């Protein structure tokens, strides 16, 4: 009779151990899942930081290139203005020389010609 009484008690002990193992296994799986989620969130945050940095660098490069183009356009405009100014000055000089030559040919003294 004592053996019969121990048998259900041993079965309870075995069931309790199994239940404890199952609980421990479930807790381990839960912790692993939480750790996996944490790692995934970290990777996503790092990827977002990298993407933001890439976009910021791309934007800075575009701004730099736009500034260079604007500076180049300004330099081109200034060079063109200077070329036009020089061409106008040369045209004025040539016109004045023609007038002076005409007046000299007619016997007049001109302002641009030194008086002798």
């Amino acid at each position: 009779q004592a053996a019969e009484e121990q048998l259900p008690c041993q079965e309870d002990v075995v069931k309790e151990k199994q239940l404890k193992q199952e609980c421990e296994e479930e807790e381990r799986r839960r912790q692993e899942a939480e750790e996996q989620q944490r790692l995934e969130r970290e990777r996503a945050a790092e990827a977002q930081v990298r993407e933001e940095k890439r976009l910021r660098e791309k934007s800075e490069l575009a701004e730099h290139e736009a500034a260079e183009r604007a500076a180049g356009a300004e330099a081109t405009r200034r060079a063109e203005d200077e070329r036009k100014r020089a061409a106008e000055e040369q045209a004025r000089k040539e016109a004045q020389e023609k007038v002076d030559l005409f007046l000299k040919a007619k016997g007049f003294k001109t302002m641009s010609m030194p008086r002798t």
Side-chain angles (χ1 to χ4, degrees):
Q1 188 178 11
E4 287 177 10
E5 287 178 7
Q6 275 189 333
L7 194 58
C9 203
Q10 286 177 345
E11 286 177 7
D12 288 345
V13 169
V14 169
K15 285 181 183 178
E16 190 176 306
K17 283 183 179 179
Q18 285 176 337
L19 184 60
K20 184 178 179 185
Q21 285 178 340
E22 288 172 5
C23 287
E24 288 172 352
E25 180 66 22
E26 188 175 319
E27 177 64 17
R28 186 187 61 74
R29 283 193 300 265
R30 186 189 64 74
Q31 288 176 352
E32 286 176 355
E34 286 178 356
E35 179 65 12
Q36 185 65 30
Q37 289 174 347
R38 184 189 66 77
L39 291 173
E40 288 173 5
R41 283 191 303 271
E42 274 184 19
R43 282 191 291 270
E46 290 169 358
Q48 183 176 359
V49 166
R50 283 191 306 273
E51 180 65 10
E52 288 172 356
K53 181 182 178 191
R54 184 189 69 77
L55 291 174
R56 187 173 50 254
E57 288 171 350
K58 184 178 178 181
S59 175
E60 289 170 358
L61 178 61
E63 287 175 9
H64 179 72
E65 289 172 348
E68 284 180 347
R69 282 192 303 275
E74 178 63 18
T76 299
R77 185 192 63 75
R78 275 193 241 129
E80 183 64 21
D81 288 350
E82 181 59 27
R83 187 197 63 74
K84 286 179 184 177
R85 189 199 61 72
E88 289 169 356
E89 181 65 27
Q90 183 63 31
R92 274 194 294 278
K93 282 182 181 180
E94 290 172 1
Q96 185 63 48
E97 287 173 3
K98 286 179 183 178
V99 168
D100 287 350
L101 286 173
F102 174 78
L103 291 175
K104 184 178 178 185
K106 296 293 183 185
F108 294 97
K109 294 197 181 214
T110 62
M111 297 286 278
S112 59
M113 293 176 61
R115 295 185 182 189
T116 55

